[in-house]
Amino acid sequence: MVTSVTNLGRTGAFDWLMQRVSAVVLGVYTLFLAGYLLASPDLDYAQWAGLFDQMWMRIFSLLALISLGLHAWVGLWTITTDYIKPTALRFLIQAVCGLIMFVYLVWGVEILWGL
């Protein structure tokens, strides 16, 4: 039996589902923002800030931000496990990518919630 060192116990089906669900969330978020921008041709900063001051938009944006991180992680994990064979190098690259995604997530939360 082959055991993957960097898999962390996930299955391929879980990764597949996580990637598809996150893609749907990102698609809906993108369509919403595009529709909002098209419906507001004379949009100013006050309207834009008012949109993001609403609780539902902050939650929706946070969901999109988490989905982006999950989507990117599955993609990067798949690429690194397919193309980088030395385990130590693969682990290092995955750790760096994970750290960068975590920093972006914390940064996004700080921007959204003003923490």
Side-chain angles (χ1 to χ4, degrees):
M1 176 175 208
V2 177
T3 304
S4 177
V5 176
T6 57
N7 190 318
L8 300 177
R10 294 188 329 254
T11 65
F14 179 77
D15 289 347
W16 181 87
L17 183 63
M18 190 167 51
Q19 190 123 55
R20 293 331 179 258
V21 169
S22 64
V24 169
V25 170
L26 291 171
V28 170
Y29 188 76
T30 301
L31 289 174
F32 170 77
L33 284 181
Y36 186 82
L37 291 172
L38 290 173
S40 307
D42 54 341
L43 183 69
D44 61 358
Y45 178 77
Q47 292 171 318
W48 187 252
L51 174 66
F52 281 89
D53 279 342
Q54 297 180 42
M55 183 63 70
W56 67 269
M57 187 61 188
R58 286 183 181 185
I59 293 171
F60 191 25
S61 297
L62 181 60
L63 179 63
L65 192 60
I66 292 169
S67 294
L68 181 63
L70 291 173
H71 197 85
W73 175 252
V74 171
L76 288 169
W77 183 87
T78 303
I79 290 168
T80 56
T81 55
D82 285 350
Y83 296 109
I84 301 174
K85 295 305 174 190
T87 305
L89 178 61
R90 181 173 59 226
F91 179 76
L92 178 66
I93 291 171
Q94 289 174 345
V96 169
C97 288
L99 180 63
I100 290 169
M101 284 185 276
F102 178 74
V103 168
Y104 283 150
L105 178 66
V106 170
W107 190 13
V109 167
E110 183 179 344
I111 290 169
L112 281 173
W113 297 95
L115 301 175

